[in-house]
Amino acid sequence: MKLGSLKSPQSLDGELCVISRDLKTAVKATHISANLREALEHWKEKEASLQKLYTDLNEGKAANAFPVDEKNFHSALPRTWLFADGSAFIYHIKLVRMARKAPLPETLETVPLMYQGECGQFLAPTEDIPQRDFSHGTDFEGEVAVVTDFVPMGVTPEEALKYIRLFVLINDVSLRGLIPEELAQGFGFFQSKPASALSPFAVTADELGEAWKGGRIHLPLEVNYNGQFFGKANAGAMHFHFGQLIAHAAKTRNLAAGSVIGSGTVSNESHDKGSSCLAEKRMIEQIETGSIKTPFMKSGDTVEMQMLNEKGQSIFGKISQKVKAV
Amino acid sequence: MKLGSLKSPQSLDGELCVISRDLKTAVKATHISANLREALEHWKEKEASLQKLYTDLNEGKAANAFPVDEKNFHSALPRTWLFADGSAFIYHIKLVRMARKAPLPETLETVPLMYQGECGQFLAPTEDIPQRDFSHGTDFEGEVAVVTDFVPMGVTPEEALKYIRLFVLINDVSLRGLIPEELAQGFGFFQSKPASALSPFAVTADELGEAWKGGRIHLPLEVNYNGQFFGKANAGAMHFHFGQLIAHAAKTRNLAAGSVIGSGTVSNESHDKGSSCLAEKRMIEQIETGSIKTPFMKSGDTVEMQMLNEKGQSIFGKISQKVKAV
């Protein structure tokens, strides 16, 4: 099943829609639940009705279906209660810490890194990335993420996998220029992690087929930068799987239904796969050539992210954003 | 005006109530707005109606008024989109960093410390603090906080003060035993900052009278621990005022209506004012006597927080919590 949130003047949560498997048509599902956030809070009661509507839509039987224009959609979940962003790709951590000459944490391979990010108003997937100051070092980070049901505190990693309801992509916007000073203060990221964007559509596990196994999505994340190939790293390379990330987040708190748990920047050790953020590409340039050639984003630069299934079809729709000076 | 959120089986947001100035009676305001979160999103349209109901209630003219039992109320705002917790009392920072032998940030007096805390489901003000592991070092932290309207990115500190809609108290539960390892990883707090509780009632600035000036609440925060006096530090001692904290939070993002901006642990240099958290008391014991006597919280320990106005009347109602092993 694929779900999206149509932009609406009535609500910052948007209007819940079911989206066809091929992403070509949609139908409002507001008679089932006003929005996706509320559907996730009542998933057991809502899932079957949404699934029935999805089947009807795919079979061309849904009344009032309309063609999809991704510009009319919010991030799949326009706002929610928690965005706990992990950093599960060890190679990414190695490269970015090397870039800012920071030591690797001693618990690199045993305890996930995780911070709490902005989730009160995600950017839409086609919305401009606002840039107040070019010196902030605007970067994108391509991630995969899960959206959970209510998760009880103290859940084990294996149990945690059972609370995953949906999958999305994320462009986790990062302001590299602000990170060193913020981390030096000791409280972690805040200003350096502004609003991010999710993919237009969220999907259930069955839409991933065989690619969803071991708590990881074994598919490449395609990233284009200014219209050119930038990366195609496989998201299956997560060191910690999503059950481990959820369990980490829930160690001392219950997680609200609709919590978004991010993978961190998708990253593979093989450099021919490219990168999912500029910081990595810059560090690789430094390693391979002795100097950094790629600047951070400036006004007008564009980034696109999507993930295709084995048949080459887009699963989540496309994140397609441009930096805009404000 | 004073507002609260009655617990309700219908919604995790509770039901919006107006509370009388003396905190003795309440009346549902759900005909004006279903809950406080939504009222904050439509503050301009809702404020006058809520104020009218508040006047009627105080004059004994509100239909269906009922006596207040604080146990029936959620945190004033049961859940919201952002809890940005500052650390504006420099003496607190000095003591806790001394306690964990961590250096003071170079920007101590020029850039506020701030992290993003759990806000998807605040504990109720009379709800037990769940403790999974005594070694986590459970502590309370008494704070004051503001609740904002929508705040535009890049707001100045002076402008920021205009977006404050409500004030609350917070018991920012902290797990001291988990902090050193988390901060050593470099990503800041996550597991060490579980769900906190707000005061039962949120109030507008006029309820603070002369005590609200210079972006600070110039009143003592009363903290009792296990039924005994623990602290009475004046919240007016904030180094950074709330406008500065809001501007810091909004430097690179818009803030959603309903964002909670915390002061950090209220702390005064004069030790006869006591403390608002155990970590400070322990450090003061260490300094004054050479050894720590006060342990962190164990199952059954209780903490109470409230703030009285110049006439000795409770402004926000009382946070009254007990630690419970789970």
Side-chain angles (χ1 to χ4, degrees):
Chain A
M1 173 162 63
K2 302 195 178 192
L3 300 167
S5 298
L6 197 64
K7 291 177 185 173
S8 157
Q10 310 307 323
S11 169
L12 295 172
D13 294 301
E15 294 180 277
L16 180 61
C17 289
V18 168
I19 315 296
S20 65
R21 180 165 291 126
D22 62 9
L23 307 184
K24 288 186 179 156
T25 58
V27 61
K28 285 192 188 181
T30 46
H31 58 293
I32 299 171
S33 187
N35 55 62
L36 182 54
R37 184 174 60 72
E38 291 180 18
L40 283 158
E41 271 171 31
H42 303 281
W43 192 253
K44 273 189 191 161
E45 300 103 272
K46 305 295 184 185
E47 185 183 11
S49 306
L50 291 170
Q51 184 65 52
K52 168 75 167 59
L53 185 56
Y54 182 61
T55 303
D56 288 350
L57 181 65
N58 284 323
E59 293 176 355
K61 294 178 191 161
N64 302 313
F66 59 91
V68 166
D69 179 348
E70 294 187 9
K71 287 192 187 62
N72 295 331
F73 285 83
H74 276 291
S75 279
L77 192 59
R79 57 181 185 174
T80 193
W81 310 112
L82 177 72
F83 171 29
D85 200 12
S87 192
F89 293 87
I90 300 281
Y91 193 59
H92 172 74
I93 301 172
K94 288 183 178 171
L95 285 174
V96 294
R97 297 240 171 172
M98 209 183 292
R100 58 171 203 262
K101 299 183 175 61
L104 288 170
E106 288 181 22
T107 52
L108 180 70
E109 296 187 9
T110 53
V111 182
L113 292 169
M114 187 170 280
Y115 71 93
Q116 196 167 326
E118 170 65 31
C119 60
Q121 29 196 15
F122 288 119
L123 298 176
T126 53
E127 192 172 348
D128 289 339
I129 299 167
Q131 185 176 61
R132 289 191 59 224
D133 184 337
F134 179 67
S135 77
H136 289 178
T138 308
D139 199 356
F140 51 85
E141 291 194 348
E143 305 195 6
V144 291
V146 296
V147 185
T148 70
D149 206 329
F150 172 88
V151 180
M153 181 163 58
V155 71
T156 66
E158 285 311 306
E159 285 169 358
L161 291 169
K162 298 176 191 162
Y163 293 93
I164 296 173
R165 295 290 165 264
L166 296 168
F167 298 80
V168 290
L169 306 181
I170 301 184
N171 176 16
D172 176 40
V173 179
S174 296
L175 302 176
R176 303 288 178 193
L178 299 178
I179 289 177
E181 189 178 307
E182 279 208 316
L183 297 196
Q185 283 187 299
F187 269 36
F189 307 109
F190 192 98
Q191 295 176 338
S192 51
K193 291 287 187 177
S196 295
L198 311 187
S199 51
F201 310 120
V203 309
T204 48
D206 54 305
E207 300 292 338
L208 301 171
E210 294 298 308
W212 171 242
K213 60 184 173 201
R216 299 167 178 88
I217 305 173
H218 294 266
L219 286 171
L221 177 68
E222 294 196 6
V223 180
N224 285 343
Y225 184 47
N226 289 331
Q228 305 290 315
F229 168 85
F230 191 82
K232 210 172 179 176
N234 197 298
M238 283 169 78
H239 177 79
F240 300 104
H241 65 67
F242 275 113
Q244 290 171 297
L245 295 181
I246 295 167
H248 185 87
K251 182 174 173 182
T252 60
R253 66 177 85 180
N254 299 312
L255 305 186
S259 290
V260 175
I261 313 292
S263 67
T265 309
V266 176
S267 180
N268 293 170
E269 295 212 22
S270 145
H271 290 185
D272 61 356
K273 297 285 177 61
S275 301
S276 307
C277 71
L278 292 171
E280 280 194 30
K281 183 172 174 63
R282 288 161 54 90
M283 198 59 221
I284 291 167
E285 288 170 350
Q286 173 77 48
I287 293 167
E288 292 186 346
T289 72
S291 69
I292 294 168
K293 290 177 199 69
T294 305
F296 288 119
M297 298 175 94
K298 54 190 183 308
S299 189
D301 284 336
T302 62
V303 63
E304 293 181 331
M305 298 177 185
Q306 66 176 342
M307 184 172 266
L308 308 182
N309 65 15
E310 290 87 347
K311 295 175 189 161
Q313 299 155 328
S314 176
I315 299 172
F316 302 95
K318 195 189 277 185
I319 296 175
S320 181
Q321 297 185 275
K322 185 168 68 179
V323 170
K324 186 182 178 188
V326 292
Chain B
M1 172 162 65
K2 303 196 177 191
L3 300 167
S5 299
L6 197 64
K7 292 176 185 173
S8 158
Q10 310 308 323
S11 169
L12 295 172
D13 294 301
E15 293 180 278
L16 180 62
C17 289
V18 167
I19 315 296
S20 65
R21 182 165 289 125
D22 63 9
L23 307 184
K24 288 186 178 156
T25 57
V27 61
K28 286 190 188 182
T30 46
H31 58 292
I32 300 171
S33 187
N35 55 62
L36 183 53
R37 184 175 58 73
E38 291 181 16
L40 284 157
E41 272 171 31
H42 304 279
W43 192 252
K44 274 188 190 161
E45 301 102 275
K46 305 295 185 185
E47 185 182 11
S49 306
L50 291 170
Q51 185 63 51
K52 168 75 167 62
L53 185 57
Y54 181 62
T55 304
D56 288 351
L57 180 66
N58 283 323
E59 292 175 356
K61 293 177 191 162
N64 302 314
F66 59 90
V68 165
D69 179 348
E70 293 188 9
K71 286 193 187 63
N72 296 331
F73 284 84
H74 277 291
S75 279
L77 191 58
R79 57 182 183 172
T80 192
W81 309 112
L82 177 72
F83 171 29
D85 201 12
S87 192
F89 294 88
I90 299 280
Y91 194 59
H92 171 74
I93 301 172
K94 289 181 177 172
L95 285 174
V96 294
R97 297 243 170 167
M98 209 183 292
R100 54 172 206 263
K101 300 183 176 62
L104 287 170
E106 287 180 23
T107 52
L108 180 70
E109 296 187 9
T110 53
V111 182
L113 293 169
M114 186 171 282
Y115 71 94
Q116 195 168 327
E118 170 64 32
C119 60
Q121 30 196 14
F122 288 120
L123 298 176
T126 53
E127 190 172 348
D128 290 339
I129 298 168
Q131 185 176 61
R132 290 190 57 222
D133 184 337
F134 179 68
S135 77
H136 289 178
T138 307
D139 199 355
F140 51 85
E141 289 194 350
E143 305 194 8
V144 292
V146 296
V147 185
T148 71
D149 205 329
F150 172 86
V151 180
M153 180 163 59
V155 71
T156 66
E158 284 312 306
E159 286 168 357
L161 291 169
K162 298 175 191 163
Y163 293 93
I164 295 173
R165 295 291 166 262
L166 297 168
F167 298 80
V168 291
L169 306 181
I170 300 185
N171 176 15
D172 176 40
V173 179
S174 297
L175 303 177
R176 303 288 180 195
L178 299 179
I179 290 178
E181 189 178 310
E182 279 207 316
L183 297 197
Q185 283 188 297
F187 269 35
F189 307 109
F190 193 99
Q191 294 176 339
S192 51
K193 291 287 187 177
S196 294
L198 310 187
S199 51
F201 310 121
V203 310
T204 47
D206 54 302
E207 300 292 337
L208 301 172
E210 293 298 307
W212 172 241
K213 61 184 172 199
R216 299 166 176 87
I217 306 173
H218 293 267
L219 286 171
L221 177 69
E222 295 196 7
V223 181
N224 285 343
Y225 184 48
N226 290 330
Q228 305 290 313
F229 168 84
F230 191 82
K232 210 173 179 175
N234 197 300
M238 283 169 80
H239 176 79
F240 300 104
H241 65 66
F242 275 113
Q244 292 171 295
L245 295 181
I246 295 167
H248 184 87
K251 183 175 172 183
T252 59
R253 65 176 88 180
N254 298 312
L255 305 186
S259 290
V260 175
I261 313 292
S263 68
T265 309
V266 177
S267 180
N268 292 169
E269 295 213 23
S270 147
H271 290 184
D272 62 356
K273 297 284 177 61
S275 301
S276 306
C277 71
L278 292 171
E280 280 195 31
K281 185 174 172 66
R282 288 160 55 91
M283 197 60 221
I284 292 167
E285 288 170 351
Q286 174 76 45
I287 294 166
E288 292 185 345
T289 72
S291 68
I292 294 167
K293 292 179 198 70
T294 305
F296 288 119
M297 299 176 93
K298 55 191 184 303
S299 191
D301 284 336
T302 62
V303 63
E304 292 181 332
M305 297 176 187
Q306 66 176 342
M307 185 172 265
L308 308 182
N309 64 16
E310 291 86 347
K311 296 175 187 162
Q313 298 155 329
S314 178
I315 299 171
F316 302 95
K318 195 189 277 185
I319 295 175
S320 181
Q321 297 186 274
K322 185 168 67 178
V323 170
K324 185 182 178 188
V326 293

